[in-house]
Amino acid sequence: MEPGNDGAITEPGSAEELDALRAEIRENFPVEAILEELGSDKKPRNVVLGAALLLVGEIAPALLAAVESAATGAELSERESGIAFYGLHILGAARDTRAFPALMRILHLPQERLDHFLGDALTETIKRVVVGTFDGRAEELFAFIADTSIDEFSRLEILNAVAFLAFEGRIEMAEAKSFLMRFDEERLAPEQDMAWCGWETAIALLGFRDLIPRVEAAWRDGRTPPGYSDPKYFFADLKRAETEWSNAERFKADHHLGYIEDIADELSWVSYPDDENDEYYGDFEERGTIENDGQPHLNPFRHVGRNDPCPCGSGKKYKKCHGAAA
């Protein structure tokens, strides 16, 4: 795997070439220098993210230690927080299952602490980090989804991850189906909770046609949030599952599900308020609505529906305004 200027990873031709490449990368990007940049008050350069992934065998102990610290809920320094945040994504891209137990403890942190640490990763990337680090303990994911004290959008994303893991065979299909049936029978989410959207999406992606009556009942009794559930898309996903079962692109194209393939692209949404030419946060900084503390910040439009009015005050729908570039 070779990091280009944009941080993408490509495969070298042989093990010897890979070893030579690692030696060259190590010379230009020593482990300590990589950690220093991951923990700085600036967004890491794409080439550094690529180098971290290439040298993950050497950098993993430091990344795992930082992630473990985050999982305790302790107050982290700026450096520790940065290394833990990027470390989760690098370990997810490397498919290092050692990170899974700590990741699940992080996801159970109080919402305020979780928002501060992960920000938009909860809805942008965490499902692919879960997919990459999953260590086989499906019960951990099921318990998380059933815990209504946890943010509904987070539970939706983990339901989506369960669907992909079942498709991959890393969760037994029968086990996944049994949980989706129990989710309905025991009403494991309140009415109009976003987790119902994840539930119906999982049913469609896994082609469980016999569960259609349950989904239609949820539509009739108003369990799914208005504006977030569309039968047209549900049946389109179901049809693709039946006609293109082995095509993993159906998960990726419409639901951004799968493994982290390009670490720089995966984290392209991350923005720091003091980044140069950062138009995304500029207006909000001018209004004094976010503090410039050098950390990755929450997307001001997090949880805004695509058909909702844009919070910027333009009068346009979000999908026609700031959401157009999302």
Side-chain angles (χ1 to χ4, degrees):
M1 296 180 292
E2 180 176 1
N5 290 333
D6 61 355
I9 303 296
T10 57
E11 290 290 340
S14 66
E16 291 77 12
E17 289 178 351
L18 181 55
D19 288 340
L21 177 61
R22 283 201 179 109
E24 181 181 348
I25 294 298
R26 194 179 298 112
E27 184 176 337
N28 289 284
F29 299 97
V31 168
E32 278 307 315
I34 292 174
L35 293 173
E36 191 66 29
E37 188 154 337
L38 295 181
S40 75
D41 60 358
K42 296 286 186 182
K43 184 176 179 178
R45 291 169 292 163
N46 292 345
V47 69
V48 170
L49 292 172
L53 184 53
L54 186 66
L55 299 179
V56 70
E58 299 165 42
I59 202 172
L63 301 182
L64 287 166
V67 170
E68 284 288 345
S69 294
T72 67
E75 192 72 36
L76 302 182
S77 69
E78 179 182 287
R79 183 176 189 273
E80 292 169 330
S81 182
I83 294 172
F85 175 85
Y86 290 108
L88 268 179
H89 290 84
I90 293 164
L91 293 166
R95 306 186 191 183
D96 192 329
T97 59
R98 292 175 296 175
F100 184 75
L103 170 59
M104 295 309 298
R105 294 201 304 277
I106 287 171
L107 290 175
H108 280 90
L109 291 175
Q111 194 61 45
E112 183 177 353
R113 180 57 59 87
L114 190 59
D115 281 342
H116 179 75
F117 174 56
L118 286 180
D120 279 353
L122 285 169
T123 52
E124 292 286 346
T125 54
I126 206 63
K127 58 191 172 187
R128 287 181 298 287
V129 175
V130 167
V131 165
T133 61
F134 180 62
D135 66 0
R137 290 182 292 170
E139 67 278 3
E140 290 267 354
L141 300 181
F142 298 155
F144 179 89
I145 294 163
D147 187 347
T148 55
S149 69
I150 296 170
D151 175 70
E152 59 187 311
F153 286 84
S154 301
R155 288 181 283 115
L156 178 156
E157 299 297 339
I158 301 307
L159 263 163
N160 287 339
V162 165
F164 184 80
L165 288 165
F167 164 74
E168 286 267 291
R170 297 174 62 197
I171 292 177
E172 291 291 334
M173 192 66 70
E175 189 178 11
K177 186 174 186 178
S178 177
F179 175 73
L180 293 172
M181 293 170 65
R182 182 165 70 87
F183 190 94
D184 171 45
E185 292 161 0
E186 298 180 15
R187 297 297 194 270
L188 294 182
E191 287 188 5
Q192 300 189 5
D193 186 283
M194 288 300 298
W196 286 109
C197 294
W199 171 77
E200 70 174 59
T201 297
I203 289 172
L205 288 172
L206 295 176
F208 293 142
R209 178 167 287 275
D210 58 322
L211 300 188
I212 290 177
R214 295 174 183 258
V215 175
E216 291 176 331
W219 290 339
R220 286 194 302 271
D221 61 29
R223 267 176 275 162
T224 51
Y228 286 93
S229 178
D230 190 328
K232 176 178 67 175
Y233 294 115
F234 171 82
F235 285 109
D237 281 337
L238 185 69
K239 183 177 180 180
R240 288 195 73 186
E242 293 174 331
T243 59
E244 304 176 41
W245 172 256
S246 62
N247 183 9
E249 282 298 309
R250 62 191 178 88
F251 287 85
K252 182 178 179 180
D254 296 328
H255 301 282
H256 208 19
L257 276 166
Y259 297 98
I260 295 175
E261 297 172 351
D262 182 331
I263 188 69
D265 181 66
E266 194 73 24
L267 293 168
S268 61
W269 58 270
V270 176
S271 186
Y272 285 65
D274 55 357
D275 283 350
E276 293 182 6
N277 303 316
D278 189 349
E279 297 178 1
Y280 189 74
Y281 284 101
D283 292 343
F284 287 83
E285 273 198 291
E286 288 176 9
R287 298 179 209 168
T289 55
I290 56 176
E291 297 177 3
N292 184 354
D293 63 1
Q295 288 292 301
H297 276 64
L298 291 177
N299 180 343
F301 306 125
R302 183 170 180 255
H303 300 348
V304 178
R306 290 185 61 75
N307 290 306
D308 293 343
C310 189
C312 75
S314 67
K316 301 177 182 178
K317 288 187 177 182
Y318 174 62
K319 67 183 179 182
K320 296 292 186 180
C321 192
H322 281 81

